[in-house]
């Protein structure tokens, strides 16, 4: 069976993980943790980068940092992973879902303003498939209405919008290093990017169980104590060491994925021009990272048949994101603002094809052949 995904692996992870294991500090914020964070701060130009055990937890930290309160409203697309919403629901917020654009599957920036009420606290754009949302428009809306913007850039590392890295636009942003993403810190992991430096001090406290331990280690206070609410949001050094083995090759990994992505696109250009399928579209002002290759079938029924056909030929292709507003918890904790013109329809016809760092040409060709065979 051709898998849908294989975790990225460069071969450098082992030596760094061993080095971390043999050092005398394997808890968070050791040598490798600090090296990774400095890499992101330099590369993205953010004020602070803090590694977390998952993107889910980075989102939870962001929800705490903007002081989300019961009754607040948070605007986001319904076509996203549950963690985008859960982080804010955990703090008592109501989720307001807005329709997506069919071309990128990202939140439709033109529909955000109408969904704002006096209770709105934040906008959470999700950069689907590592393709940037219209951040200029979104940041302008947020500024005029005094709202926070948290970018869910779980899939967006190494992508850019108007020449700037995804994750560098909002007050804060999050990356994921889960094994299904372009980079992994050993299966699970995440990052909180802070662009608005007002949040740095409190973020360090929340991440250290609500203590000022971080200042203590820097020698800024002579003992540390419980100063705010918090939790345990530090990954172990083993996770950071694993990630370091991939950051060194970040450009190579991205180029490799993009090459596979472009070959898929070229191979299916004919099917798309005959209008059997729709291919992903990348806006001119975006550079993506080859995170995901999807195609859109005619409808739900045709997608089911395509996925079955691929499975019968030992290829695992998948779909995802049953829109959150139609899920039981989504109905309870959120509401859809405006018309669901594209969210449900487009999500029901999207199929994701196998793609990973180092995918072999023969494997890719098998996938291409069986998709073309299905449509002929
Ligand atoms: C993967 C993903 C997450 C969650 O990431 P974890 O690191 O698994 O917690 C959140 N949002 C989006 C859009 C994702 O794709």
């Amino acid at each position: 069976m051709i898998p849908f995904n294989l975790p990225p692996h460069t071969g450098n992870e082992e030596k760094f993980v061993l080095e971390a294991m043999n050092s005398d500090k394997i808890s968070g914020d050791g040598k490798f943790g600090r090296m990774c964070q400095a890499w992101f701060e330099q590369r993205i130009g953010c004020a602070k980068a803090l590694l977390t055990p998952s993107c889910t937890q980075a989102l939870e930290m962001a929800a705490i940092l903007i002081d989300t309160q019961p009754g607040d409203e948070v605007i986001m697309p319904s076509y996203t992973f549950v963690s985008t919403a859960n982080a804010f629901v955990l703090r008592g917020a109501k989720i307001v879902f807005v329709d997506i654009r069919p071309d990128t599957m990202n939140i439709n920036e033109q529909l955000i303003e109408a969904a704002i009420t006096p209770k709105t606290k934040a906008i959470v754009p999700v950069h689907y498939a590592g393709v940037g949302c219209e951040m200029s428009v979104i940041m302008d809306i947020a500024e005029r209405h005094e709202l926070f913007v948290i970018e869910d850039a779980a899939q967006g590392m190494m992508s850019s919008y108007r020449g700037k890295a995804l994750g560098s636009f909002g007050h804060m942003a999050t990356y994921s290093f889960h094994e299904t993403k372009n980079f992994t810190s050993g299966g699970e992991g995440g990052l909180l990017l802070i662009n608005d430096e007002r949040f740095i001090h409190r973020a360090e406290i929340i991440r250290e169980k609500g203590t000022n331990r971080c200042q203590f280690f820097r020698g800024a206070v002579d003992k540390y104590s419980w100063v705010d609410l918090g939790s345990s949001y530090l990954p172990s050094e083993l996770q950071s060491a694993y990630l370091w083995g991939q950051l060194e090759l970040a450009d190579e990994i991205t180029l490799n994925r993009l090459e596979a992505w472009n070959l898929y696109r070229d191979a299916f250009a004919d099917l798309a021009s005959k209008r059997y399928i729709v291919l992903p579209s990348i806006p001119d002002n975006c550079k993506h990272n080859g995170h995901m290759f999807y195609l859109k079938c005619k409808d739900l029924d045709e997608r089911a048949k395509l996925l079955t056909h691929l499975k019968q030929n030992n290829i695992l292709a998948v779909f995802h994101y049953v829109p959150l507003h139609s899920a039981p918890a989504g109905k309870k904790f959120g509401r859809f603002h405006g018309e669901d013109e594209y969210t449900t329809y487009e999500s029901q016809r999207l199929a994701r094809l196998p793609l990973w760092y180092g995918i072999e040409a023969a494997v890719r060709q098998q996938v291409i052949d069986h998709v073309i065979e299905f449509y002929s």
Side-chain angles (χ1 to χ4, degrees), residues 54-56 59 80-81 83-84 126 152 154-155 176 178 181 189 321:
S54 68
C55 176
T56 299
L59 286 162
T80 184
F81 187 60
S83 296
T84 322
V126 179
D152 181 343
Q155 305 173 11
S176 171
H178 186 259
K181 303 303 198 300
Y321 300 161

Side-chain angles (χ1 to χ4, degrees), residues 193-209:
L193 296 155
I194 302 176
N195 296 314
D196 183 334
E197 47 190 57
R198 286 176 303 172
F199 292 111
I200 297 175
H201 177 65
R202 195 164 172 238
E204 290 179 335
I205 289 169
I206 288 167
R207 187 161 165 268
E208 279 278 22
K209 300 93 185 165

Side-chain angles (χ1 to χ4, degrees), residues 75-120:
I75 296 173
M76 64 181 65
S78 170
Y79 186 67
T80 184
F81 187 60
V82 291
S83 296
T84 322
N86 259 331
F88 299 90
V89 169
L90 278 167
R91 312 241 71 82
K94 188 102 186 159
I95 308 300
V96 177
F97 299 111
V98 165
D99 207 10
I100 53 169
R101 297 163 39 149
D103 59 344
T104 56
M105 305 297 282
N106 284 336
I107 190 167
N108 185 338
E109 68 281 356
Q110 302 300 334
L111 303 176
I112 293 174
E113 202 149 15
I116 294 172
T117 75
K119 292 179 182 168
T120 307

Side-chain angles (χ1 to χ4, degrees), residues 207-218:
R207 187 161 165 268
E208 279 278 22
K209 300 93 185 165
T211 73
N212 57 356
R213 196 156 171 252
C214 204
Q215 286 172 288
F216 173 72
F217 283 134
R218 281 199 292 259

